[in-house]
């Protein structure tokens, strides 16, 4: 008999009214019998790999999906794949293809590190196995811990392409002086997706960017929790989230910029554009700014709903009717994010897939 | 080295005066909250039977509901030590000369009768748990406008209307302190503006809580009928004591078809006050609700006026400022629900945190299914005046209609060095330059208030900004 466990994930750093149902999300996960997904890692020989992970290091970071999920991940994860770049002269890239089959629960853990002055790009793709029944469901969790050294750079690209999946994507990161952590996320499929990123900008002039494009397909549920904690002097965060919601899809985005005392000169911005394509969608946007430092600049902006009359008029004058205009601009939002991927082969593959749909 | 500006807390002498009062001047119930106390209050107020039932039901709800776990701490509020009903030994009067001297002098120091003479259509004054004075200009009364204390209205011509509306917008189940209000409410105003009547000058209610360790639970019920127009102003103050006082008032506003209601508040409770006030408006087709809100006082504040845009083409405008200083934790904001078609809401809020104060701007904009063509814009700006205060912005947007158009912007920052430099290069001292910038920052509210109140609000800000450079 399968034993399930209920968890509260993606907690809002500061709670608000309960009736809005945005303070966290509830998930039900398999407590035993969780296996590692079949993964292939494509990388150069110079990139260091391993499987070790220190418990105290793991627990020292607060993750986006929260403490309960981190504890769960630590318990069910069989091992941790470690990728470390330590040659300042050689930017490294690793591609991790995660392949799932229906009817199972999976969990994989990663430790990604760019040591001082090094550069590392990791691309993770979530896919169903070719021979798996497309209609069969599965649950897949990943936990990724990212460490960015002084003047180093980590780029993490995650592409969710698996149908009928319930994905849990938990990320925690730590950035030192001058370091940069860039995240590109594309959510193209999935029945349910819970996605949390928490970043500690500890170093002076550390930088963090998140660019996300998502498509809420009919009956899907997407739940995001992005938290950027500004500790270092003159550190900066820039979050840009673009999405499209179709029939009966539901999305909740929590995006928090937290300025902590001492983060003088820090800047944080968060922006979300959501295009609603049907009346039965549910869009929740919760953009927080928390502040205990005087010398900062923080801002958030959100635009939600239909296309503006000006845009529609402009496209109409060029022979594009309303339906086509919505289609073009919906795919445009996702393509904008896909084009940020530097790996040409993967970028073109994704662009052609998005264009086709 | 760049010098820091130290900004003093507000000089509250204007509000902190109080007369030494004897217990024999008042009728009080015991501290705490029991069915016996609720019955005692009901008997004292000569409630109709349905009201006693509502009070007792509210008490049951109160005992079941939890204290909010998402806002500022309420640990300093011990309801076992709050006196829920304090009645001055005087009858309600419409003649200022008949108000007892101590109470009269209190309100005169606050400028209430002077304001009535100069710029108001009517005034109500509540002292502790009871309204002690209510008056309205004859020409306004002749238009059929009713402005009276709620207890009198419960036994008058509008008794059935009050029974139909009372605590229907804000039921006791809404939250713990609304249930408390339902159990022990006392005082407040009833305003009825008949169809098509436009009240050209504002009505005002002023609430003064003078008794230490007491609660004030006034209820304001305003009904603005179709095509009517009203501006209602609410003022609040209290002297400071070393023990906690509680304000858990309730404001229910009904805005009829194509009617307009402006509700302005300048809140300056003392800094031992827990201000857990609730306000809600229901707006019918083509109606418009305007909120103007200035929050300066209180130790702890929970204040989020809610507007339900039920009718098609109904509108809401919210303009607010919160100034959180030393020892204050002010959690303020708003809630807007779009339900009708082609509804619009526009929100403009400012928040200032200084001297260790905590200011939180909490909001929700909900667009329900079927609210086609709903439009909403929210603009929040926050100014941090030092690095040991705290300021949080917690907005939520819940949108469930494709044709909605919702925009939200928020900014947080400090006073720009460039702006200070510019003003100083024109001979203005740094202190004055900073005060000028903060006053300008708050002009979204001051320009929406009648002149006399805008001056009062600007004076409050000026007092806050008096300080030294160092």
């Amino acid at each position: 008999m399968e034993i399930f466990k209920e968890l509260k994930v993606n907690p809002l750093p500061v709670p608000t009214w309960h009736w809005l149902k945005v303070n966290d999300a509830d998930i039900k996960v398999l407590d035993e019998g969780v296996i590692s997904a079949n993964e292939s890692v494509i990388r150069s020989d110079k990139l260091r790999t391993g499987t070790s992970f220190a418990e105290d290091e793991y627990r020292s970071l607060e993750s986006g999906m929260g403490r309960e999920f981190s504890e769960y991940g630590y318990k069910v994860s069989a091992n941790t794949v470690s990728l470390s770049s330590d040659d300042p002269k050689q930017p490294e890239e690793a591609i991790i293809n995660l392949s799932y089959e229906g009817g199972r629960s999976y969990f994989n853990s990663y430790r990604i590190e760019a040591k001082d002055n090094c550069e590392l790009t990791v691309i993770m793709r979530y896919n169903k196995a070719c021979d798996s029944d497309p209609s069969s469901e599965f649950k897949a969790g990943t936990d990724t811990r990212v460490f960015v050294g002084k003047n180093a750079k980590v780029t993490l690209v995650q592409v969710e392409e698996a149908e009928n999946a319930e994905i849990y994507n938990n990320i925690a990161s730590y950035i030192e002086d001058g370091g940069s952590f860039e995240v590109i996320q594309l959510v193209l499929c999935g029945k349910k997706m819970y996605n949390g990123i928490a970043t500690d900008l500890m170093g002076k002039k550390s930088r963090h960017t998140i660019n996300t494009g998502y498509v809420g397909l009919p009956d899907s549920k997407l739940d995001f929790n992005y938290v950027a904690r500004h500790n270092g002097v003159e550190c900066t965060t820039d979050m840009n989230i673009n999405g499209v919601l179709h029939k009966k899809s539901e999305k909740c985005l929590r995006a928090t910029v937290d300025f902590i005392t001492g983060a003088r000169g820090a800047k944080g911005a968060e922006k979300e554009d959501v295009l609603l394509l049907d009346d039965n969608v549910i869009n929740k946007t919760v953009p927080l700014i928390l502040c205990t430092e005087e010398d900062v600049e923080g801002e958030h902006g959100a635009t939600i709903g239909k296309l503006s009359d000006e845009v529609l008029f402009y496209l109409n004058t060029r022979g594009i009717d309303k339906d086509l205009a919505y289609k073009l601009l919906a795919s445009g939002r996702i393509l904008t994010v896909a084009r940020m991927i530097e790996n040409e082969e993967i970028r073109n593959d994704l662009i052609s897939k998005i264009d086709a749909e | 080295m760049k010098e820091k500006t130290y900004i003093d807390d507000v000089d509250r002498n204007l509000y902190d005066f109080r007369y030494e009062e004897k217990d024999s001047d008042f009728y009080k119930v015991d501290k705490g909250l029991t069915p016996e106390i609720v019955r005692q209050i009901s008997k004292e107020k000569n409630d109709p039977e349905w009201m006693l039932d509502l009070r007792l039901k509210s008490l049951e709800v109160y005992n079941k509901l939890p204290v909010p776990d998402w806002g500022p701490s309420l640990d300093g509020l011990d309801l076992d030590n709050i006196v829920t009903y304090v009645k001055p030994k005087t009858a309600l009067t419409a003649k200022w000369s008949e108000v007892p001297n101590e109470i009269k002098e209190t309100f005169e120091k606050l400028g209430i009768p002077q304001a009535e003479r100069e710029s108001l259509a009517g005034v109500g004054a509540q002292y502790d748990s009871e309204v002690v004075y209510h008056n309205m200009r004859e020409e306004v009364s002749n238009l059929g406008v009713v402005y009276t204390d709620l207890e009198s209205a419960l036994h008058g011509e509008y008794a059935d209307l009050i029974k139909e509306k009372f605590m229907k917008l804000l039921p006791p189940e809404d939250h713990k302190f609304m249930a408390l209000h339902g159990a022990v409410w006392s005082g407040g105003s009833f305003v009825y503006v008949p169809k098509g009547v436009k009240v050209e000058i504002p009505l005002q209610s002023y609430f003064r809580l003078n008794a230490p360790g007491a609660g004030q639970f006034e209820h304001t019920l305003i009904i603005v009928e179709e095509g009517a127009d009203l501006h209602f102003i609410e003022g609040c103050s209290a002297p400071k004591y070393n023990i906690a006082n509680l304000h858990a008032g309730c404001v229910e506003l009904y805005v009829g078809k194509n009617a307009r209601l402006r509700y302005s508040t300048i809140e300056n409770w003392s800094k031992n006050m827990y201000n857990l006030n609730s306000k809600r408006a229901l707006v019918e087709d083509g109606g418009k609700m305007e909120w103007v809100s200035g929050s300066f006082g209180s130790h702890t504040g929970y204040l989020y006026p809610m507007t339900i845009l039920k009718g098609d083409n109904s509108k809401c405008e919210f303009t607010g400022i919160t100034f959180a200083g030393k020892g204050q934790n002010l959690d303020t904001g708003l809630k807007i629900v779009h339900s009708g078609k082609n509804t619009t809401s526009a929100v403009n809020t400012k928040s200032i945190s200084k001297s260790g104060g905590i200011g939180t701007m909490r909001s929700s904009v909900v667009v329900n299914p079927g609210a086609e063509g709903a439009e909403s814009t929210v603009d929040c700006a926050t100014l941090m005046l030092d690095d040991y205060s705290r300021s949080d912005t917690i907005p939520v947007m819940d949108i469930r209609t494709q044709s909605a158009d919702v925009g939200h912007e928020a900014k947080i920052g400090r006073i720009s060095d460039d702006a200070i430099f510019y003003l100083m290069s024109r001979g203005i001292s740094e202190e004055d330059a900073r005060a000028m910038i903060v006053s300008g920052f708050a002009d979204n509210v001051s320009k929406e208030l009648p002149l006399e109140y805008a001056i009062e609000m600007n004076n409050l800000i000026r007092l806050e900004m008096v300080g030294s450079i160092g």
Side-chain angles (χ1 to χ4, degrees):
Chain A
M1 190 180 139
E2 292 180 324
I3 299 169
F4 287 94
K5 187 182 177 78
E6 291 181 357
L7 302 175
K8 291 209 175 291
V9 298
N10 284 354
L12 201 60
V14 176
T16 190
W17 299 302
H18 294 288
W19 62 272
L20 290 163
K21 296 184 171 39
V22 296
N23 285 333
D24 47 39
D26 296 312
I27 62 169
K28 204 169 169 182
V29 289
L30 197 61
D31 202 27
E32 289 174 5
V34 178
I35 59 172
S36 294
N38 192 6
E39 65 190 351
S40 69
V41 181
I42 303 164
R43 58 174 178 83
S44 77
D45 292 340
K46 289 186 177 175
L47 189 64
R48 283 177 181 271
T49 60
T51 55
S52 63
F53 208 132
E55 182 176 349
D56 54 346
E57 183 185 71
Y58 184 88
R59 292 185 195 280
S60 68
L61 293 184
E62 211 172 304
S63 69
M65 284 188 70
R67 186 184 52 78
E68 284 189 25
F69 190 81
S70 288
E71 292 295 326
Y72 168 75
Y74 193 76
K75 179 185 160 192
V76 300
S77 181
N79 62 52
T80 298
V81 173
S82 177
L83 301 167
S84 177
S85 165
D86 58 4
D87 182 356
K89 294 175 188 165
Q90 181 65 46
E92 295 287 352
E93 181 182 83
I95 300 166
I96 302 171
N97 287 307
L98 289 153
S99 178
Y100 303 101
E101 292 185 4
R104 302 299 301 259
S105 281
Y106 302 90
F107 203 97
N108 290 60
S109 292
Y110 301 95
R111 184 187 187 282
I112 295 169
E113 181 176 16
K115 294 195 181 290
D116 293 356
N117 303 305
C118 295
E119 196 172 327
L120 173 61
T121 297
V122 177
I123 300 172
M124 297 168 70
R125 299 184 76 170
Y126 299 73
N127 267 302
K128 230 171 193 178
C130 297
D131 53 352
S132 181
D133 175 6
S135 64
S136 61
E137 298 180 359
F138 68 92
K139 297 186 180 194
T142 53
D143 187 294
T144 309
R145 308 276 149 162
V146 179
F147 300 87
V148 185
K150 288 177 184 169
N151 301 312
K153 182 182 179 187
V154 170
T155 303
L156 178 64
V157 179
Q158 294 183 314
V159 186
E160 204 283 281
E161 304 164 80
E163 289 177 29
N164 288 311
E166 187 166 331
I167 302 283
Y168 314 117
N169 183 19
N170 189 31
I171 298 173
S173 65
Y174 184 100
I175 315 174
E176 296 190 51
D177 289 358
S180 170
F181 178 40
E182 183 178 345
V183 182
I184 297 170
Q185 291 190 324
L186 275 172
V187 181
L188 304 178
C189 284
K191 189 177 174 187
K192 289 184 180 175
M193 195 224 51
Y194 300 87
N195 189 342
I197 305 174
T199 296
D200 285 307
L201 291 113
M202 300 306 294
K204 184 179 178 182
K205 294 190 176 180
S206 51
R207 299 184 306 282
H208 180 39
T209 60
I210 298 176
N211 287 291
T212 297
Y214 63 82
V215 182
L217 297 174
D219 298 312
S220 66
K221 180 174 181 177
L222 312 177
D223 197 281
F224 299 87
N225 189 36
Y226 296 156
V227 183
R229 289 183 286 267
H230 296 74
N231 289 279
V233 173
E234 296 178 32
C235 58
T236 60
T237 292
D238 199 0
M239 299 181 193
N240 287 292
I241 300 102
N242 279 279
V244 183
L245 295 179
H246 291 267
K247 290 173 189 172
K248 289 187 180 176
S249 59
E250 186 178 340
K251 182 232 78 186
C252 180
L253 168 72
R254 306 169 194 85
T256 302
V257 172
D258 189 357
F259 296 107
I260 294 157
T261 307
R264 292 183 306 282
K267 293 181 182 175
E270 51 198 8
K271 189 169 190 321
E272 189 192 23
D273 283 315
V274 193
L275 190 58
L276 308 182
L277 297 181
D278 293 288
D279 268 338
N280 296 319
V281 299
I282 297 176
N283 175 78
K284 295 182 183 181
T285 301
V286 193
L288 268 59
I289 298 180
L290 312 176
C291 184
T292 51
E293 168 59 49
E294 175 197 10
D295 183 11
V296 297
E297 289 177 32
E299 60 182 310
H300 66 228
T303 54
I304 303 157
K306 60 182 181 179
L307 285 178
S308 76
D309 292 340
E310 290 81 8
V311 171
L312 280 176
F313 177 75
Y314 176 84
L315 293 170
N316 280 340
T317 60
R318 274 141 187 86
I320 297 169
D321 67 16
K322 188 177 169 183
D323 286 347
L324 184 56
Y326 267 90
K327 278 181 188 167
L328 283 174
L329 288 159
S331 62
R333 283 161 193 253
I334 311 305
L335 285 169
T336 302
V337 180
R339 289 194 183 105
M340 293 174 178
I341 299 169
E342 287 193 5
N343 182 302
E344 192 177 353
E345 188 182 339
I346 291 174
R347 182 176 68 236
N348 290 338
D349 178 42
L350 289 168
I351 288 172
S352 61
K353 275 186 181 170
I354 295 164
D355 276 339
E357 288 172 15
Chain B
M1 185 180 156
K2 192 160 59 177
E3 291 194 326
K4 297 285 283 183
T5 297
Y6 175 75
I7 297 161
D8 273 349
D9 275 332
V10 68
D11 178 351
R12 290 189 46 87
N13 288 336
L14 174 65
Y15 302 95
D16 273 347
F17 66 90
R18 59 183 189 244
Y19 295 97
E20 289 306 319
E21 291 160 338
K22 294 178 284 227
D23 274 358
S24 58
D25 295 335
F26 297 90
Y27 168 81
K28 290 181 184 179
V29 296
D30 291 338
K31 291 175 180 175
L33 192 58
T34 63
E36 290 68 39
I37 287 174
V38 170
R39 286 178 193 280
Q40 203 180 340
I41 293 170
S42 183
K43 189 179 173 189
E44 187 66 30
K45 304 185 76 62
N46 191 25
D47 277 346
E49 201 175 330
W50 68 266
M51 186 60 81
L52 174 60
D53 292 344
L54 185 142
R55 287 182 187 277
L56 292 169
K57 181 191 146 204
S58 299
L59 179 61
E60 282 178 26
V61 175
Y62 170 79
N63 286 327
K64 286 178 190 164
L65 290 178
V67 173
D69 60 357
W70 43 264
S73 168
L74 297 173
D75 290 349
L77 185 64
D78 178 6
L79 276 162
D80 293 337
N81 276 315
I82 294 280
V83 179
T84 53
Y85 184 66
V86 182
K87 180 186 178 184
K89 288 188 175 167
T90 177
L92 170 65
T93 178
K95 287 186 182 171
W96 190 244
S97 59
E98 291 175 3
V99 175
N101 279 341
E102 302 79 16
I103 296 176
K104 193 158 59 182
E105 284 176 30
T106 298
F107 283 112
E108 278 176 350
K109 278 190 178 235
L110 295 166
I112 304 306
Q114 186 190 359
E116 180 188 4
R117 283 192 297 274
E118 292 172 359
S119 57
L120 295 171
V123 160
Q126 176 158 339
Y127 198 84
D128 294 331
S129 298
E130 290 293 346
V131 178
V132 294
Y133 174 72
H134 238 290
N135 195 21
M136 186 167 57
R137 288 190 187 184
E138 196 177 345
E139 63 267 31
V140 180
S141 178
N142 289 341
L143 292 169
V145 176
V146 177
Y147 179 35
T148 182
D149 64 299
L150 198 53
E151 284 89 341
S152 303
L154 269 172
H155 296 285
E157 184 186 350
Y158 293 92
D160 289 343
L161 183 63
I162 293 170
K163 186 179 176 184
E164 182 192 323
K165 306 283 190 188
F166 189 88
M167 293 201 81
K168 294 296 191 297
L169 267 183
L170 273 159
E173 294 80 7
D174 207 73
H175 58 82
K176 189 173 185 72
F177 293 96
M178 202 68 306
L180 173 65
H181 174 93
V184 299
W185 78 270
S186 176
S189 299
F190 171 66
V191 182
Y192 179 80
V193 186
K195 186 175 175 180
V197 171
K198 296 187 188 305
V199 184
E200 302 288 344
I201 45 179
L203 299 176
Q204 184 186 20
S205 277
Y206 200 94
F207 303 103
R208 175 76 176 176
L209 182 52
N210 237 52
Q216 192 171 62
F217 307 94
E218 85 288 348
H219 195 102
T220 302
L221 176 60
I222 299 178
I223 299 167
V224 184
E225 294 282 21
E226 184 176 343
D229 194 301
L230 175 70
H231 183 184
F232 190 88
I233 300 172
E234 174 193 76
C236 338
S237 72
K240 185 171 181 183
Y241 294 99
N242 291 326
I243 53 173
N245 276 26
L246 168 64
H247 176 234
C250 175
V251 176
E252 295 183 289
L253 309 173
Y254 291 87
V255 184
K257 287 182 182 173
N258 301 313
R260 184 192 80 120
L261 172 59
R262 172 169 283 212
Y263 196 95
S264 301
T265 306
I266 297 294
E267 180 270 298
N268 196 24
W269 293 115
S270 57
K271 290 182 181 175
N272 60 316
M273 179 68 83
Y274 284 77
N275 184 29
L276 313 175
N277 211 13
S278 299
K279 302 176 181 181
R280 194 165 291 174
L282 183 72
V283 190
E284 303 286 350
D285 290 0
K288 186 175 186 189
M289 181 68 219
E290 299 172 2
W291 300 95
V292 181
S293 178
S295 295
F296 295 90
S298 302
H299 173 275
T300 298
Y302 281 66
L303 183 63
Y304 327 97
M306 180 172 187
T307 308
I308 302 167
L309 296 169
K310 178 189 168 201
D312 293 350
N313 303 303
S314 52
K315 294 180 173 63
C316 171
E317 285 179 10
F318 184 98
T319 310
I321 184 162
T322 299
F323 204 132
K326 185 179 179 184
Q328 292 182 283
N329 190 342
L330 303 185
D331 201 301
T332 61
L334 60 128
K335 302 173 191 172
I336 296 174
V337 177
H338 293 254
S339 284
K341 291 181 171 58
N342 301 313
T343 52
T344 59
S345 60
V347 176
N348 184 323
T349 68
K350 302 285 174 73
S351 173
I352 301 165
S353 294
K354 60 175 271 296
S355 306
I358 302 172
T360 301
M361 162 62 194
R362 195 182 296 272
S363 69
S364 67
V365 173
V366 175
V367 178
N368 279 329
E372 293 165 16
E375 291 183 9
S376 176
T377 57
V378 178
D379 193 343
C380 312
T382 299
L383 199 53
M384 287 283 285
L385 295 182
D386 53 54
D387 58 6
Y388 56 103
S389 299
R390 181 176 184 95
S391 184
D392 293 344
T393 308
I394 309 174
V396 178
M397 286 152 275
D398 182 336
I399 315 302
R400 300 176 183 222
T401 299
Q402 184 270 334
S403 58
D405 188 356
V406 177
H408 184 103
E409 280 187 36
K411 282 184 182 172
I412 189 163
R414 62 197 289 243
I415 295 177
S416 145
D417 289 339
D418 291 347
I420 297 287
F421 177 77
Y422 175 84
L423 291 169
M424 288 176 72
S425 70
R426 273 140 187 84
I428 297 168
S429 70
E430 183 177 344
E431 183 182 297
D432 285 348
R434 287 183 181 270
M436 197 178 281
I437 289 166
V438 172
S439 288
F441 182 75
D443 78 341
N444 67 322
V445 172
S446 58
K447 72 185 181 189
E448 294 295 332
L449 288 168
L451 182 62
E452 306 76 33
Y453 299 93
I455 291 169
E456 184 192 342
M457 197 195 85
N458 278 334
N459 283 340
L460 276 171
I461 291 172
R462 195 165 293 279
L463 284 167
E464 292 264 4
M465 299 301 292
V466 171
S468 57
I469 309 292

